[in-house]
Amino acid sequence: MQPLTGLELAELRELLGGDHREFRARQLYDALYRQKVPDLGSVTTLPKALRAELAERFGVGVPEAQARYESVDGTCRYLLNLEDGRTVETVLMPEERRDTICISSQVGCPVNCGFCLTALMGLERNLTAGEIVGQVLFVMRRHGLAADSDRMNVVMMGMGEPLLNLANVLKATRLLTDREGIAISPRRITVSTSGIIPKIAELGREAVRPKLAVSLNASTEEQRRELMPITRKYHLRDLMEACRAYPLRGWERLTFEYVLLGGVNDTDADARRVVGLLGNLRAKVNLIALNPGPGIPFETPAPKRVHSFQQIIRRAMPCFIRKPRGRDIFAACGQLKRMETGKLVQVG
């Protein structure tokens, strides 16, 4: 059964056809993305006969939860079922002043970063635009979240390398930001990349796009090549050049993410080299002390070392230490791997 989530208004018009396709397409679009209906029978603005006809051929297409894991800090990690039987992970991180939904762009990941559990899966396939948007709709409906609130944030930092699925990521972004639909501000959507240089330039040419975050994680070419084999194809020097050429909007900064690995990339000398790499960019740095997991051959640095690293970078640009969320259920950054961990909660 073909899912409707992921279709833009023009595609719904073409699908419906008929003399009233513009009017009916807008009603259906509103029901899918603004009202977030659970099934086509709930689209009460459409005639009953049309609802029945659509229900025979189409489904809403929002994924269902196979399992939910709850952390002691309030983080919820969902294992969601896709139409083909595969599963993908989505995480909600509620905080006092904001709610962040961390969504996936691929099933698994082809980028073999040595400190990430998702990398151990390899890549199964890209997600469709509907499967990307569907994760957000699922969490918003399950938790009663409002897109027009300043609390709402979406980060494409779950499973996958988003820029290797750029067409679907961009279509999903258009749907997520459309004021006639879900209406999340582009300022509140971030996509994270390991550094796919040609796709960074392609992203920058788009009128509707999320904010860009780059996973740096090393201060030298040699160090980054060891930690992130993608650097063998896309070199650090060229990545920095692509970041300098990236067309930032007036309100925007580039974000650089740096996973600190104890005794590997966390020295004061590393911090000074990071400043040298980023010093001439309009940027900020998010530091992430390694979130440990089975099969990851690195250690989490001591808090004192993380603080020292931050202090050096803060002399040149904004630098923040990202608070780990959901470690006890393997929901923290770099930990998603469809693991049976934490407290399983019955979902219905």
Side-chain angles (χ1 to χ4, degrees), residues 236-250:
L236 179 58
R237 178 188 58 209
D238 299 329
L239 175 60
M240 291 297 100
E241 184 58 39
C243 291
R244 280 188 287 271
Y246 191 77
L248 292 170
R249 291 157 286 195

Side-chain angles (χ1 to χ4, degrees), residues 71-320:
S71 170
V72 293
D73 65 19
T75 298
C76 290
R77 169 174 162 250
Y78 288 99
L79 182 67
L80 301 180
N81 289 320
L82 305 176
E83 289 288 332
D84 64 357
R86 289 181 170 88
T87 56
V88 72
E89 298 215 359
T90 303
V91 177
L92 171 66
M93 294 169 282
E95 297 182 69
E96 184 178 348
R97 296 185 178 180
R98 65 179 180 179
D99 298 305
T100 301
I101 306 174
C102 180
I103 62 175
S104 298
S105 57
Q106 297 176 308
V107 182
C109 185
V111 182
N112 190 28
C113 298
F115 46 83
C116 179
L117 279 172
T118 310
L120 300 178
M121 291 178 58
L123 176 67
E124 295 185 20
R125 69 167 173 87
N126 286 334
L127 295 183
T128 66
E131 289 167 338
I132 295 170
V133 171
Q135 295 171 72
V136 178
L137 292 174
F138 168 85
V139 174
M140 290 181 71
R141 191 166 67 204
R142 177 63 66 95
H143 292 269
L145 304 182
D148 58 358
S149 166
D150 288 341
R151 294 182 57 89
M152 181 74 170
N153 295 276
V154 174
V155 293
M156 299 188 196
M157 298 180 182
M159 290 179 168
E161 165 52 70
L163 296 198
L164 291 179
N165 188 19
L166 185 56
N168 286 317
V169 163
L170 288 172
K171 185 178 184 183
T173 301
R174 292 194 299 271
L175 288 165
L176 290 169
T177 58
D178 186 2
R179 295 191 179 202
E180 300 301 316
I182 304 173
I184 301 173
S185 169
R187 296 181 181 225
R188 298 195 170 275
I189 303 177
T190 303
V191 62
S192 177
T193 180
S194 60
I196 312 299
I197 292 172
K199 296 297 183 178
I200 290 175
E202 187 177 336
L203 176 67
R205 291 191 289 269
E206 292 294 322
V208 179
R209 64 179 189 266
K211 296 186 296 183
L212 178 62
V214 177
S215 292
L216 184 60
N217 307 319
S219 64
T220 68
E221 178 83 15
E222 296 74 22
Q223 187 183 71
R224 196 170 193 269
R225 190 182 298 120
E226 287 297 316
L227 297 174
M228 304 178 67
I230 194 73
T231 306
R232 297 168 192 168
K233 183 173 184 180
Y234 300 116
H235 303 308
L236 179 58
R237 178 188 58 209
D238 299 329
L239 175 60
M240 291 297 100
E241 184 58 39
C243 291
R244 280 188 287 271
Y246 191 77
L248 292 170
R249 291 157 286 195
W251 46 266
E252 190 175 12
R253 287 178 182 266
L254 283 172
T255 297
F256 288 88
E257 298 160 319
Y258 196 101
V259 177
L260 290 161
L261 311 173
V264 176
N265 65 351
D266 63 341
T267 67
D268 287 354
D270 283 304
R272 287 190 287 270
R273 284 193 290 266
V274 169
V275 170
L277 286 170
L278 309 183
N280 63 346
L281 293 170
R282 196 162 84 222
K284 66 177 182 178
V285 177
N286 284 338
L287 299 178
I288 306 162
L290 174 71
N291 295 306
I296 301 301
F298 299 106
E299 296 182 356
T300 303
K304 183 177 180 181
R305 181 92 302 274
V306 175
H307 180 73
S308 177
F309 202 99
Q310 180 194 32
Q311 291 304 110
I312 292 171
I313 294 180
R314 285 179 66 176
R315 296 169 193 162
M317 67 195 70
C319 181
F320 307 93

Side-chain angles (χ1 to χ4, degrees), residues 7 13 25 32 58 104 112 185 201 247 295 297:
L7 296 184
R13 281 198 298 265
L32 291 171
F58 306 103
S104 298
N112 190 28
S185 169

Side-chain angles (χ1 to χ4, degrees), residues 27-59:
Q27 288 180 317
L28 183 55
Y29 187 89
D30 181 84
L32 291 171
Y33 299 117
R34 190 180 64 81
Q35 299 178 43
K36 304 172 189 63
V37 295
D39 54 70
L40 292 175
S42 302
V43 189
T44 55
T45 52
L46 296 180
K48 188 174 181 180
L50 179 55
R51 275 182 272 160
E53 179 185 342
L54 290 172
E56 287 183 3
R57 300 166 53 200
F58 306 103

